[in-house]
Amino acid sequence: MSGPECSANPPEVNSVFGKGSVEEIGGLKAYITGNRSSDRAILLASDAFGYEGVMLRKLADKMGDTGYLIVVPDFFFGDCYYSTMPPQLRENWLPNHPPEKGCENALKIIAELKTRVSAVGAAGFCWGGMMVIKLAKYEDIKAAVILHPGRLSYNDVNEVRVPVAILGGELDQLCPQEEVEHYRKILAAKPQVESFVKIFRGVGHGWASRYKEDDESAIRSAEEAHTDMLNWFSKHLI
């Protein structure tokens, strides 16, 4: 994940926003919301701006209202990306926070979650999508949803072992629709793994998690993506 689209339309952040609470799980802080007695949980992986994004927490709360336990970890241990970050720090941010390490931490969280629930899914935006595609290579989760990711490794896409949905944007320059179509072809050659790939028209990077709340078209696209995500989990978290 790099380029100007990553820092475009940065989210409002608020450490105390939301219906849920910040707790520790698997050695990480996480915003936890939703149904505490549910036997199904969803790990929601943020973009580089981190787990305190107001719009992200609104989505987590909305997903929690449908009956899931939602966990939004602080994968960056407080060292989130920010739009005015100096160039040197910006260049070093991703090497300091590789998705591979995020996947290791996610597996620890999931291991703890599975002492409480019977099924876990994972969804991720941008950096979170790059992490979740790696997580989908393990059967520790039941299903994965990836929304406007950074570019994904073809090997990672080829190695997924659980049902995966990839939602891309027509105007996304970070992960262009040509890339998303290539992911579709790779997954189509794996009939043993159910997949769903969709390109949303007229939207760019961040359209599902950092949209403008005064833009009706942007809201419709984001809400359609959120519905697709929830439908995927409803189908596979059983």
Side-chain angles (χ1 to χ4, degrees):
M1 54 131 290
S2 61
E5 283 191 300
C6 276
S7 55
N9 193 30
E12 177 188 356
V13 295
N14 185 330
S15 63
V16 298
F17 183 86
K19 298 178 182 179
S21 59
V22 174
E23 305 170 32
E24 185 169 307
I25 182 169
L28 282 75
K29 289 182 178 179
Y31 175 74
I32 300 178
T33 188
N35 184 355
R36 300 291 180 131
S37 61
S38 177
D39 64 349
R40 299 176 299 161
I42 297 172
L43 185 148
L44 200 58
S46 72
D47 60 18
F49 289 99
Y51 82 134
E52 294 181 350
V54 168
M55 191 169 285
L56 179 68
R57 289 192 177 186
K58 284 181 180 180
L59 174 59
D61 288 342
K62 182 172 77 170
M63 294 170 69
D65 286 343
T66 67
Y68 296 105
L69 175 66
I70 308 296
V71 178
V72 189
D74 177 15
F75 284 113
F76 314 131
F77 297 90
D79 183 30
C80 302
Y81 191 93
Y82 55 95
S83 58
T84 57
M85 183 176 281
Q88 184 63 37
L89 292 179
R90 187 178 302 158
E91 290 172 10
N92 292 332
W93 190 88
L94 185 57
N96 288 337
H97 302 286
E100 293 82 358
K101 182 62 177 176
C103 183
E104 291 177 16
N105 287 325
L107 289 169
K108 295 174 186 176
I109 293 169
I110 291 164
E112 185 169 333
L113 276 173
K114 290 176 80 171
T115 66
R116 314 180 198 175
V117 303
S118 61
V120 180
F125 305 89
C126 191
W127 180 95
M130 296 165 66
M131 188 279 288
V132 169
I133 194 68
K134 297 181 182 299
L135 197 56
K137 296 189 288 185
Y138 301 89
E139 294 180 337
D140 298 69
I141 59 172
K142 294 286 189 181
V145 180
I146 294 163
L147 305 97
H148 51 77
R151 291 202 184 201
L152 306 178
S153 156
Y154 296 158
N155 285 338
D156 284 346
V157 177
N158 188 52
E159 292 173 12
V160 299
R161 299 175 65 185
V162 300
V164 60
I166 301 178
L167 309 182
E170 179 186 23
L171 306 180
D172 192 334
Q173 297 302 306
L174 191 62
C175 187
Q177 62 175 326
E178 293 81 10
E179 279 289 294
V180 179
E181 290 294 353
H182 194 69
Y183 306 152
R184 188 197 303 271
K185 291 178 183 178
I186 294 172
L187 292 168
K190 293 171 61 69
Q192 72 277 20
V193 177
E194 188 172 352
S195 61
F196 173 71
V197 179
K198 181 175 178 178
I199 295 173
F200 285 70
R201 301 303 169 192
V203 296
H205 191 70
W207 53 273
S209 62
R210 301 204 311 266
Y211 54 92
K212 294 182 179 179
E213 293 185 287
D214 59 354
D215 184 330
E216 292 185 5
S217 177
I219 293 170
R220 283 195 300 272
S221 294
E223 290 183 345
E224 182 179 343
H226 301 162
T227 298
D228 288 344
M229 173 170 57
L230 285 167
N231 286 343
W232 191 252
F233 286 132
S234 178
K235 182 178 182 181
H236 294 289
L237 291 191
I238 53 177

